[in-house]
Amino acid sequence: MKCMKCHNTLHSEIGEFSMTINGKSIKVVNAPVLHCKNCNSVIISDEVKEKAKEFSKVYLYPDNTLDYAECEAGTIMSIMNMSVMNLLL
């Protein structure tokens, strides 16, 4: 795939990006992105953005950070469940 800005090759990487969901700015880390090493553009697919939006409903950390890789792997406990566990302790 080619960069829209400079037409150089985009490289698949794991990176981070910010997005706004329902007026709240969140930082998505460990997400698949396309990166242009020439002009430093970062492209995030619509699929990744949509999944991040869905994940943020359940897995958003209190500091408004979302670990995309952990959500995809299913290795993170929902924030809702963690809150309930803290109340029980």
Side-chain angles (χ1 to χ4, degrees):
M1 188 173 201
K2 297 287 183 181
C3 178
M4 300 282 265
K5 288 184 181 177
C6 70
H7 308 289
N8 280 353
T9 302
L10 293 169
H11 300 274
S12 295
E13 296 180 1
I14 300 299
E16 61 184 52
F17 63 94
S18 295
M19 61 187 294
T20 302
I21 300 173
N22 297 328
K24 184 187 296 185
S25 180
I26 68 166
K27 181 179 180 180
V28 181
V29 298
N30 296 322
V33 300
L34 294 172
H35 178 240
C36 177
K37 294 181 180 181
N38 183 58
C39 72
N40 217 26
S41 291
V42 176
I43 308 296
I44 300 96
S45 73
D46 290 340
E47 179 184 357
V48 169
K49 289 179 198 174
E50 190 57 37
K51 282 185 175 182
K53 184 177 179 180
E54 290 302 312
F55 290 149
S56 74
K57 294 176 182 177
V58 180
Y59 300 112
L60 191 64
Y61 287 112
D63 66 353
N64 291 334
T65 300
L66 175 74
D67 191 315
Y68 189 93
E70 284 186 356
C71 294
E72 279 276 283
T75 58
I76 185 171
M77 187 184 308
S78 75
I79 300 304
M80 220 175 192
N81 288 341
M82 288 187 342
S83 296
V84 169
M85 286 178 60
N86 286 336
L87 289 174
L88 296 174
L89 296 177

